[in-house]
Amino acid sequence: MNPPLPGLGRRLLLASLTTSPLAPRGVRATTLPVPAGDKLGFDVMRRGARLGEHVLTFHRTGETLDVTIRVAVAYSIGPITLYRYRHEAQLRWQGARVVAIDSRTDDNGTHDWMNARPGGGAGLVVQGATVPRYTAPPDAEPSTHWNRVELSAPWINTQTGRLMRPTVTPTGRQSIPTVSGTIAAEGYLLTGDVDLRLWYDAAGWAGLEFSKNGTPVSYLRQA
């Protein structure tokens, strides 16, 4: 029998403009890499089985970009569901700067929330169910992965609100699977505050992988 997956949700959440090297810390892109069709989706896979999906939708009005993120995962053995995870986040950008984050999460019955808003200074004021109110650095980015500028910035964890500073190591161009076939993408290993791999191609965020109980959990980009 496979073991249940406690804590999978936190990894799912920690789980760009070009395929060039990382931008210098603090340098923001002037144009956000909104995907074609204003939607980006991934199948969440473990041992060849689909656990659920992670979907982002984008809506632009002038200089304002609203992004909705929905993650729904269930881990079952036969008819018995051992683990469920639901996460929804609403984020707003003005130009290339995030100005609002709101999220709610149900991690197998444990409920979490966080939000962030502009404060009196340059950084967002962040708070969460388990994170006291603080002001994030001006260059902090939400840990949503679709905008590769996050690889050269501190992260605001979009489930808990925690400030994170992962170490990012480029791993070169690799072949990775998607729902519709194999593609070539630039890989990055993230360690320290997180432990995962991310991939990006010319279209943007292409994949994600982490290990749980020694078993890889991967994101396969949908067509």
Side-chain angles (χ1 to χ4, degrees):
M1 177 178 292
N2 294 332
L5 299 175
L8 173 61
R10 288 186 294 276
R11 288 178 176 266
L12 289 168
L13 262 293
L14 299 174
S16 85
L17 294 173
T18 68
T19 55
S20 61
L22 301 184
R25 183 173 294 275
V27 175
R28 287 178 181 267
T30 57
T31 304
L32 294 170
V34 177
D38 297 328
K39 184 176 180 180
L40 178 62
F42 296 86
D43 286 359
V44 181
M45 306 293 295
R46 179 180 186 268
R47 290 182 172 169
R50 185 178 185 273
L51 301 179
E53 65 178 1
H54 182 136
V55 177
L56 303 90
T57 55
F58 301 78
H59 179 75
R60 187 183 291 280
T61 304
E63 291 297 309
T64 300
L65 176 68
D66 290 306
V67 181
T68 298
I69 301 173
R70 292 186 175 90
V71 185
V73 168
Y75 176 70
S76 302
I77 296 178
I80 301 173
T81 298
L82 300 175
Y83 177 82
R84 291 184 186 276
Y85 177 85
R86 298 289 185 274
H87 171 83
E88 182 167 331
Q90 302 283 341
L91 300 96
R92 172 165 288 184
W93 275 260
Q94 293 286 352
R97 184 174 295 275
V98 64
V99 295
I101 310 170
D102 293 280
S103 80
R104 296 291 183 273
T105 305
D106 179 353
D107 190 349
N108 210 37
T110 299
H111 295 272
D112 208 348
W113 62 268
M114 64 79 60
N115 57 52
R117 292 290 188 277
L124 292 177
V125 176
V126 183
Q127 60 184 344
T130 59
V131 174
R133 181 184 177 97
Y134 71 93
T135 300
D139 62 338
E141 293 285 335
S143 60
T144 53
H145 307 322
W146 66 272
N147 186 4
R148 192 165 63 168
V149 72
E150 75 173 24
L151 295 177
S152 55
W155 288 7
I156 300 171
N157 184 308
T158 51
Q159 176 172 320
T160 66
R162 177 188 168 202
L163 185 66
M164 310 177 78
R165 299 180 184 273
T167 298
V168 181
T169 304
T171 56
R173 197 163 180 83
Q174 301 156 14
S175 294
I176 64 167
T178 70
V179 170
S180 57
T182 300
I183 63 169
E186 295 292 328
Y188 299 88
L189 173 65
L190 286 81
T191 55
D193 284 342
V194 299
D195 184 10
L196 57 83
R197 293 179 180 271
L198 288 165
W199 287 270
Y200 296 85
D201 67 359
W205 182 21
L208 178 151
E209 183 178 284
F210 60 86
S211 291
K212 183 62 182 175
N213 296 334
T215 301
V217 176
S218 58
Y219 276 30
L220 303 187
R221 190 169 67 190
Q222 299 169 353

